[in-house]
Amino acid sequence: MTVEQPHAAHGEEYGHGHGSPFIQHHYDDAKHQFDSGKLGIWIFLAQEVLFFSALFVAYILYRHHHPEIYSYAHKYLDVKMGAINTAVLIFSSLTAAWAVRCAQLNQKRGLILCLSLTIACACTFLVVKYFEYSHKVHEHILFGRYFDPCVSSGGNHLLTRNNECPGSKTTVEWDKEKAVATAGCFADIAIDQDPRMEGVQASCSVAEITGAWEEKVSADGKKTKTFVEKSRKAITTQCPEEHFGHEASGETGHAKASYPCWEVTAQPAVCRPGWFYSWTCSGPVCLEESGSGGPFASQSACQEARSADAAKLKTQGTIAMSECLPGGASGVLVNYNDHYERGESIRIEADCKAPPAATETGDSFAEREQQLQLGKKAIAPAHKLTTHEAHELEAAGPPPEHTNMFFTIYFAMTGLHGVHVLFGVFVFIWLLIRATKGHFTSDYFGPVDFAALYWHIVDLIWIFLFPLLYLIH
Amino acid sequence: MATTTHDAHDDHDDHGLAHTASVRVLLATGGSLLFLTLVTVLATKVDFGANLNLAVAMLIAVIKATLVVLFFMHLKYDKIFHTVVFTSAILAAALFVGFTLMDSSQYQQTNIWNPDAPPAAPYGPRPIVGG
C-alpha cells in the first residue's frame, strides 16, 4: 500500500472526475484499487484468526484438563484493569470505524480527531498492560519456571523458591552444610489457616533422613530408583507459633535464621498431603553492629532478644489437622527449612498421629479470631461451604501444580495481542500523518478502512481474551 | 502532492467505493458493546455453576464479536465473498479446536519420570515419606 509514485498525472484519466493522486496506474479505477486492497486485508484477517486459534487451542486443551488451575490462577489477574482495557479497546474500535466514515465523507478534521483518539486509546491500553505486567514481574507471577509467586492468589504470603520477593519478604542465604542461614533478613510469612474446617489434632514427629537414590535392576531388566536411607536425625525442635525475630527494616537486617526446626500447617482446602512450603524458622543472629539502622540498639540487646526467642522454641507440639473437603486426604503440611536447599539426598519424614475428633461445633468463620492454633481444638463448620467460600479457601493456599501453565498461556496470548496493538499504533500514526497532509479523500480512503479492519480484529480477539482469562468463575 | 480539490464534495453517502456507516449505527454498536462488557463482568458475579457461567460469558463474547464484524467491519454491507473468507477461517479454527479436543487425552499419559523414584519436586506436591 505504499505510495511511491503518486501518479498525479493519471488521476484525471481514471478517477471519478476528481481522481486522487494515489490511484495507482495499474488499477482500472479507484474502485478497482479499493476492492483489491479490501480483499487483501480480509485474507490477512482470516490468517490472523488462524494464527490466534493455535493459542486458543492451547488454552482450551489445558483448561479442559486442568480447570482447577484456571479457577485458582485467574484470581491473580485484576478484573478492573481487564475491564478498563476492554472498554478502551471498544471505544477505539468506535473511533476507528468513525475515522473510516470521516475519510469517506472528506471530513479531514473529523478524520484527524478520530485517528488521534484511536492512537490515544491504543496507548492507554498499552500503559494499563504495562502496569499489569510489571506487577506480575515484581510478584514473580510469570510463565514457565519463572512462576514463583510471592503471594497466593488469595493474597497470603508464600515463601518462594528463590526468596526474592520485594518488600517484606524473606531473603535468606543458606549454608547447606550447617543448615543455617548465613545472610539475609526475614519477615512474617503466614499461611492463613482456615478456621471453617472441621479438624482434629495431631501430634507430629519429624525426622531428617539423609540418603541417596540408588538404581536397582530387577530380574526382568527393569531399572528402578529408590531412596536408600543412610542416616536419620530427629528434628525435635518445632518452630514457635508466633513468628519471632524482629522486623528487620531495610537491607541491613540483623535478624537471621539460626535454628533448624519444623513447622506444620493445616491446609485443608488444598489438601495435598506433602505440600511443602519453603519456610525458614529463624531467630536473630547477632552480628557485628552495623550502624544505627538495625532493630537492635546494641550487641547486648540483640543477644538478649535472641535468647528470648530461643526460649520460645518448642521441642514438641501438636497441629490441628483438618479433614479435607469431601473425599480428600488430610492436609497436614510439614515444613522444614527450605526443601529447595535441602537437595535430593535429604528427605523429611513426618509422622502425624491423630487423636480423637473434636466434638464442638459452631460457625467459627463468622468469628475470625477463632483461628486454628497449635494445641487447640478446631471447630466444625456450621454450614456447608458455598462455592464462593470454597474458592476463597482454595485461593488462600499455594497454587496447584502446573499453575505456571496458566501464565505461560496468559503471557503468550496477551503478549501476542499486545504486539498487535503496538503495531496498530504505528499504523495509525502513519495514517494520522497522511491525514494531516490531506491524502485521504472519498475516492481514496483504503488505508484508513484497512487499518480499521485490522484494528477491529485486534479488538475482537480481546473480546474473547477478556472473559477467558479474567472472568473465570 | 496533496490536492484540495475534494472540498467541493460533501454528499458521498452513495459513493461507489464502499458503504458508509451512519453515525447512529456506529454509536449504537459502540454503546451495545460497552453495555455487554458490563453485563459480562456482572454475570461472573452470579453463580450459575462453572459450566453455565462459561457458556454465558462465551455467548456474550460471540454476540459482541458479531456486532463488531457486522457493523464496525461493515461485513453486513460488504461483498459476500469477504464473509466467505472470514467464516471459512473461523470454521478452520473450529475444526482445529474440535479435532484437538477429540483426542485430547493423548497428551495426558506421558510419564516423564519413573513414578517409583520421582525427581525432587522443584515446587509443589511431594510425598511425605512414611506419612
Side-chain angles (χ1 to χ4, degrees):
Chain A
M1 284 291 113
T2 53
V3 185
E4 307 235 320
Q5 284 283 58
H7 296 268
H10 300 277
E12 293 303 314
E13 290 171 42
Y14 298 115
H16 289 177
H18 67 316
S20 162
F22 299 104
I23 309 300
Q24 305 284 308
H25 64 74
H26 49 271
Y27 291 110
D28 291 343
D29 53 20
K31 186 161 175 53
H32 186 202
Q33 173 166 332
F34 177 80
D35 287 348
S36 307
K38 190 125 179 173
L39 178 61
I41 194 74
W42 272 107
I43 289 171
F44 173 72
L45 297 187
Q47 174 277 135
E48 287 281 272
V49 170
L50 295 176
F51 185 30
F52 272 96
S53 72
L55 289 174
F56 280 100
V57 166
Y59 175 95
I60 292 168
L61 195 64
Y62 221 77
R63 182 159 177 183
H64 179 69
H65 286 294
H66 299 283
E68 78 281 359
I69 288 170
Y70 286 75
S71 85
Y72 180 91
H74 86 277
K75 295 201 184 78
Y76 280 118
L77 306 180
D78 190 342
V79 176
K80 216 179 285 168
M81 291 222 183
I84 289 170
N85 261 355
T86 311
V88 164
L89 267 198
I90 286 172
F91 183 73
S92 74
S93 249
L94 175 63
T95 55
W98 208 317
V100 178
R101 180 189 150 84
C102 289
Q104 285 173 315
L105 299 179
N106 291 326
Q107 296 165 345
K108 184 177 165 186
R109 241 190 285 166
L111 174 61
I112 289 171
L113 178 69
C114 284
L115 289 176
S116 310
L117 279 174
T118 310
I119 293 168
C121 285
C123 291
T124 310
F125 180 90
L126 288 173
V127 167
V128 173
K129 201 89 264 164
Y130 167 78
F131 281 120
E132 287 190 276
Y133 275 17
S134 60
H135 170 255
K136 288 188 179 58
V137 170
H138 281 286
E139 296 276 330
H140 308 290
I141 308 168
L142 292 171
F143 39 81
R145 67 196 171 91
Y146 301 103
F147 179 75
D148 190 16
C150 298
V151 291
S152 76
S153 70
N156 288 321
H157 288 296
L158 300 171
L159 200 62
T160 63
R161 277 203 304 271
N162 300 320
N163 287 333
E164 54 192 14
C165 293
S168 65
K169 304 299 296 185
T170 304
T171 310
V172 175
E173 283 172 28
W174 280 92
D175 180 336
K176 288 183 201 176
E177 301 265 310
K178 295 177 192 154
V180 293
T182 51
C185 56
F186 68 91
D188 270 4
I189 305 299
I191 301 295
D192 195 13
Q193 295 171 359
D194 183 64
R196 290 167 297 182
M197 302 306 295
E198 191 172 5
V200 294
Q201 294 170 62
S203 58
C204 301
S205 60
V206 179
E208 185 185 276
I209 305 169
T210 311
W213 290 99
E214 284 184 6
E215 204 172 72
K216 282 183 183 163
V217 185
S218 61
D220 55 345
K222 256 179 114 179
K223 282 181 185 174
T224 49
K225 267 193 164 182
T226 45
F227 188 79
V228 178
E229 184 179 324
K230 296 248 164 79
S231 67
R232 152 189 305 254
K233 181 174 72 182
I235 307 162
T236 52
T237 314
Q238 191 182 0
C239 302
E241 267 174 53
E242 69 266 43
H243 299 278
F244 62 99
H246 302 267
E247 287 272 333
S249 55
E251 293 304 307
T252 55
H254 299 247
K256 284 190 152 196
S258 61
Y259 313 113
C261 62
W262 55 272
E263 191 203 48
V264 242
T265 45
Q267 200 43 265
V270 180
C271 213
R272 304 209 169 156
W275 255 103
F276 280 76
Y277 292 96
S278 308
W279 141 263
T280 51
C281 169
S282 29
V285 159
C286 302
L287 299 173
E288 290 164 41
E289 287 170 64
S290 60
S292 55
F296 303 111
S298 66
Q299 184 77 3
S300 59
C302 179
Q303 295 288 4
E304 207 172 290
R306 186 191 160 153
S307 58
D309 281 340
K312 287 186 202 161
L313 285 171
K314 294 178 182 171
T315 50
Q316 56 182 331
T318 53
I319 175 68
M321 185 172 77
S322 299
E323 297 293 325
C324 271
L325 293 170
S330 75
V332 169
L333 313 169
V334 173
N335 312 302
Y336 172 64
N337 289 341
D338 186 334
H339 76 264
Y340 222 70
E341 296 294 342
R342 210 156 55 227
E344 258 188 78
S345 61
I346 297 180
R347 283 187 153 193
I348 297 301
E349 182 183 284
D351 183 19
C352 295
K353 293 186 185 78
T359 49
E360 290 172 65
T361 57
D363 187 3
S364 58
F365 186 53
E367 304 159 61
R368 208 43 196 183
E369 69 271 19
Q370 265 186 299
Q371 298 272 335
L372 277 190
Q373 280 181 350
L374 296 182
K376 289 202 180 144
K377 274 182 184 166
I379 296 166
H383 65 98
K384 213 170 166 249
L385 295 181
T386 63
T387 318
H388 176 73
E389 281 173 335
H391 280 185
E392 204 178 73
L393 194 54
E394 187 182 274
E401 204 180 2
H402 303 314
T403 301
N404 54 6
M405 274 307 292
F406 176 86
F407 288 98
T408 305
I409 292 170
Y410 165 85
F411 278 104
M413 288 181 126
T414 58
L416 187 63
H417 179 266
V419 168
H420 277 77
V421 173
L422 190 64
F423 179 70
V425 172
F426 293 130
V427 171
F428 279 109
I429 288 173
W430 171 68
L431 290 177
L432 183 62
I433 293 167
R434 291 193 67 189
T436 52
K437 291 179 183 164
H439 288 188
F440 301 120
T441 56
S442 57
D443 62 350
Y444 177 72
F445 58 88
V448 183
D449 195 14
F450 308 152
L453 284 174
Y454 166 80
W455 194 247
H456 295 316
I457 267 287
V458 172
D459 181 31
L460 202 106
I461 285 161
W462 186 258
I463 283 175
F464 283 97
L465 287 186
F466 174 56
L468 285 177
L469 294 171
Y470 291 77
L471 297 180
I472 296 165
H473 186 70
Chain B
M1 51 187 183
T3 56
T4 50
T5 50
H6 55 269
D7 286 345
H9 293 261
D10 280 322
D11 183 15
H12 276 271
D13 277 306
D14 289 314
H15 197 283
L17 284 191
H19 169 262
T20 310
S22 71
V23 172
R24 212 167 54 91
V25 166
L26 288 179
L27 286 180
T29 311
S32 334
L33 287 173
L34 288 176
F35 174 71
L36 285 172
T37 305
L38 188 68
V39 171
T40 194
V41 171
L42 293 180
T44 33
K45 303 211 194 280
V46 187
D47 185 13
F48 300 120
N51 286 334
L52 206 54
N53 269 97
L54 178 65
V56 168
M58 283 301 96
L59 181 70
I60 294 172
V62 168
I63 295 172
K64 284 166 79 181
T66 314
L67 286 177
V68 170
V69 171
L70 287 184
F71 298 107
F72 278 173
M73 299 173 87
H74 300 128
L75 208 54
K76 184 165 189 262
Y77 315 97
D78 209 348
K79 287 183 180 166
I80 192 79
F81 187 62
H82 297 156
T83 312
V84 171
V85 170
F86 192 65
T87 31
S88 48
I90 289 168
L91 281 178
L95 278 179
F96 187 13
V97 173
F99 273 89
T100 315
L101 279 181
M102 265 203 274
D103 67 343
S104 68
S105 301
Q106 285 296 324
Y107 317 108
Q108 295 299 302
Q109 301 301 325
T110 319
N111 277 330
I112 51 171
W113 63 74
N114 180 347
D116 296 328
Y123 190 59
R126 182 179 166 129
I128 294 176
V129 179

